[in-house]
Structure formats: structure tokens, C-alpha cells
Amino acid sequence: MNWQSYSLCYFIMKQKTLSISSVFDKKHLYLHGIHFPNNYYTMISRSISLLSTLIISALSVAAQVPITMKGHWISVGSSFSYEGKTFPVNAIIDTGFTYCAIDSTFAVDSCGIIIDNEKEVYNTGLQNKVRYMTLSSLQLSGKSYEKLYCFILDFRGKFKEYAPKFIIGANVLKQELWEFDLKNFILSSQSASANSKPIYIPWKNYNKKDSPFLDAILISAIIDKKKGLYLFDLGSRFNEVSTQIGVIPTEYKLIERASCSKALSLQETGFLDDEVDVSGIKYKTKLAVTDENIGTLNADFLQGTRFILNYKKKRLEVYQ
């Protein structure tokens, strides 16, 4: 221990009644025979500055959540609280859901939750009424969201081994500027650096004519040299193009498919290899051909980028 440290420790032990501020009062210290070099207070200032930086950095890291890609799905660690109990869960981020949703088997067997409440919903992929509960809170990336609707759905029965336990929907996603870093696989609620200029992809929201559900994100894309609206659905396994724009499949495959209304089964599905152009972001991909009124795009065109979901300004902000 050097002489400055020893003298200061001795001083603090002897002068218990002194305030903390007086310890750093140079005049007061000299009266007690304690002398410091001229740069001592500069060192203290730098130490405090470094400590502040470390605290801010630690809080920033705490607010970051690792992303795990499960096929085409974005999975993150989170937890939810209900009736005084908290349950950790790996959740799928899904812009294709208005509300959060929990698998009914997981809710009963793992969480002991049994709910009979029903709510009428407008969603072409669901029945008119679904069971739901109101979560006390949901914790994600260092933030907590109170009193959230959460559907209780039979994911296990419909999707089998592909079933998610929990889905984080738009009722959480629209409350922050969520940044998805698909380079380093990190989710945070911090905005990307202003030093780089993003590509803005505007979207249209719910309307009864075009949207399949409330808070649906409809983005413009060019496929097969035809411009149209596509549902941006982070929960979709496939990119899909509608037969209504005149496309013809180039191959057929027997693959496993499911939805919230149809259980997993082998279905013959047509596919088309084509270029997708979303606001100048171009990529080649295999598209499933569907008879639905509108096609679907998942996160494939955003791989290797950072993007922000900006519900307030109704746009994707993509940093390449």
C-alpha cells in the first residue's frame, strides 16, 4: 500500500464523524496533515468517469438478449408473471400475432395455468373465439410490460415438434424500438447508430380489406417482376407468393405444413425460385406458392443486417 492510500485509510478510521464530502475537501485534509499530489483530484475525477462508463456499459449489456435462430424463427429468452408466479420461457418473436400467445399444454403441465376465459378475435387463421389470460407482466431485455392479453392456443396439437411454448406478439413489440441484430444475434431496445444511414421500408397497417389481423405489417415487394403487398411475418416458416399475381410453380414437394387451424401433415406444395426485391434489398430465394389472397415474407431478406421495428412511424429501418 502506498503512503497516500495508508494516510487516507488512517484518516477515515480516525475521523468517523466527517462527512464523505469533507474527505475530498483539500483544505480540510491539509489541516489533518494529509497531503496529496496535485494530480490526485484529476485521478479521482477520471476514476469516477470510468466507473460511470462501466455502469452504463453494464446496464446496456443487461438490456441485450441473445437471439437463437430456430430455422427461420427468432427465439429469445424472456419470462412472464401470472398470479404471483414467474415463469422463464424461450419465446418466438412473431409479427404475425397481435397478442402474445402460450401453448395450452405448456400452460397446464409446466405452469399449472387453467383458463376458461374466451375472447372474440378478428383473425383469418383462428376461430372466432379463443381462450386468453391477462399476464401480470412480461419481462424482456431488461424491461417489464404490465397487464398483457395472452392467447392460449393448442400449438402442441397443431405444430407437433415445431410447436413454440410462447409467442411474443405485437402488443409487446409495438411498445419499443426493438433492434434485431442478425449479424451478432442480439435483441435490444436501443436504437441503431445514427452514424449509418438505414434503408427505410414503409409498411401499411390493419384495414379490413387487405389485412388478415390487427397490427399486421404489410410491406411492398417485387416478385416475378410484379409489385404487391406482402405480410411481414417473423413467425412464418416459408416465404410465400400468391397465385393471384399469376405465378406458376416450377416444382412440387411433399412437405410438412401446419397452421393454427390445421394440424401438421404432409402436403404437396408448389415452389418457385425467384428474386425478391424489398425496397432495393434483393435476394434469391425459394417461395412456396399459395392460394391465399396475400403472400408472406419472413426474416430471410434481413439476414446479416440490423433492423428496427418502428411501429410508431410504421416502417422497418434496415442497417446493412
Side-chain angles (χ1 to χ4, degrees):
M1 180 181 292
N2 59 34
W3 70 270
Q4 293 99 333
S5 300
Y6 178 84
S7 299
L8 182 59
C9 289
Y10 178 81
F11 170 75
I12 293 174
M13 291 173 65
K14 289 292 186 181
Q15 304 295 330
K16 293 180 181 180
T17 59
L18 291 178
S19 68
I20 293 175
S21 61
S22 69
V23 173
F24 296 98
D25 184 335
K26 189 172 182 179
K27 181 178 179 180
H28 191 89
L29 291 174
Y30 270 113
L31 290 175
H32 286 77
I34 298 175
H35 306 279
F36 293 91
N38 291 332
N39 67 346
Y40 179 77
Y41 297 99
T42 301
M43 293 167 60
I44 288 291
S45 177
R46 288 177 178 174
S47 298
I48 293 173
S49 177
L50 176 60
L51 180 60
S52 299
T53 301
L54 290 173
I55 291 173
I56 293 171
S57 177
L59 291 174
S60 175
V61 171
Q64 295 179 341
V65 177
I67 287 174
T68 301
M69 296 301 297
K70 294 185 175 181
H72 298 270
W73 298 304
I74 296 175
S75 176
V76 295
S78 64
S79 63
F80 68 90
S81 299
Y82 181 74
E83 291 189 345
K85 296 181 180 180
T86 299
F87 307 93
V89 65
N90 286 322
I92 299 296
I93 300 291
D94 195 346
T95 53
F97 262 76
T98 299
Y99 301 107
C100 294
I102 188 172
D103 172 55
S104 55
T105 302
F106 172 69
V108 174
D109 293 351
S110 299
C111 305
I113 297 172
I114 300 176
I115 300 291
D116 293 323
N117 297 333
E118 287 189 334
K119 179 178 177 63
E120 290 191 13
V121 295
Y122 172 62
N123 190 316
T124 56
L126 299 172
Q127 59 270 38
N128 290 330
K129 289 186 177 182
V130 296
R131 287 185 299 154
Y132 76 96
M133 61 181 180
T134 302
L135 302 180
S136 300
S137 64
L138 182 137
Q139 293 75 42
L140 176 64
S141 187
K143 294 183 178 292
S144 182
Y145 305 94
E146 313 296 323
K147 299 188 183 302
L148 297 171
Y149 272 135
C150 180
F151 288 165
I152 303 173
L153 300 172
D154 185 18
F155 290 140
R156 182 72 62 84
K158 294 295 193 297
F159 295 94
K160 309 299 182 185
E161 65 268 26
Y162 302 105
K165 291 181 178 179
F166 197 92
I167 281 176
I168 295 176
N171 58 336
V172 171
L173 299 176
K174 67 184 180 182
Q175 296 193 46
E176 304 287 344
L177 286 176
W178 290 107
E179 179 185 314
F180 297 79
D181 184 344
L182 297 187
K183 290 181 180 178
N184 301 302
F185 299 101
I186 292 172
L187 171 70
S188 68
S189 59
Q190 302 168 357
S191 179
S193 172
N195 294 329
S196 55
K197 187 176 181 180
I199 296 172
Y200 294 118
I201 302 175
W203 76 56
K204 293 184 178 181
N205 264 127
Y206 169 83
N207 65 71
K208 290 187 177 180
K209 180 180 179 181
D210 298 320
S211 269
F213 55 88
L214 186 65
D215 289 320
I217 296 176
L218 302 175
I219 61 176
S220 178
I222 299 174
I223 298 177
D224 196 36
K225 299 180 180 180
K226 301 178 180 69
K227 188 174 183 178
L229 287 177
Y230 289 80
L231 176 66
F232 177 60
D233 185 358
L234 291 178
S236 178
R237 182 182 175 190
F238 299 103
N239 293 296
E240 296 181 328
V241 59
S242 174
T243 54
Q244 294 191 14
I245 70 169
V247 297
I248 300 174
T250 56
E251 63 175 320
Y252 288 87
K253 292 182 179 182
L254 200 61
I255 61 171
E256 291 181 318
R257 304 195 69 175
S259 68
C260 286
S261 58
K262 296 180 181 179
L264 186 73
S265 64
L266 286 172
Q267 299 176 33
E268 187 177 55
T269 304
F271 285 92
L272 172 70
D273 289 310
D274 208 335
E275 181 181 76
V276 177
D277 182 348
V278 182
S279 295
I281 301 175
K282 299 180 181 180
Y283 70 109
K284 292 274 190 178
T285 190
K286 188 179 291 292
L287 298 129
V289 179
T290 177
D291 291 329
E292 299 290 338
N293 294 332
I294 192 169
T296 301
L297 296 176
N298 56 27
D300 281 359
F301 74 96
L302 296 167
Q303 295 302 317
T305 72
R306 290 179 300 148
F307 70 93
I308 291 175
L309 282 175
N310 193 330
Y311 278 83
K312 184 176 180 179
K313 294 185 178 181
K314 296 184 181 180
R315 69 189 186 194
L316 287 169
E317 301 169 8
V318 183
Y319 297 79
Q320 294 182 302

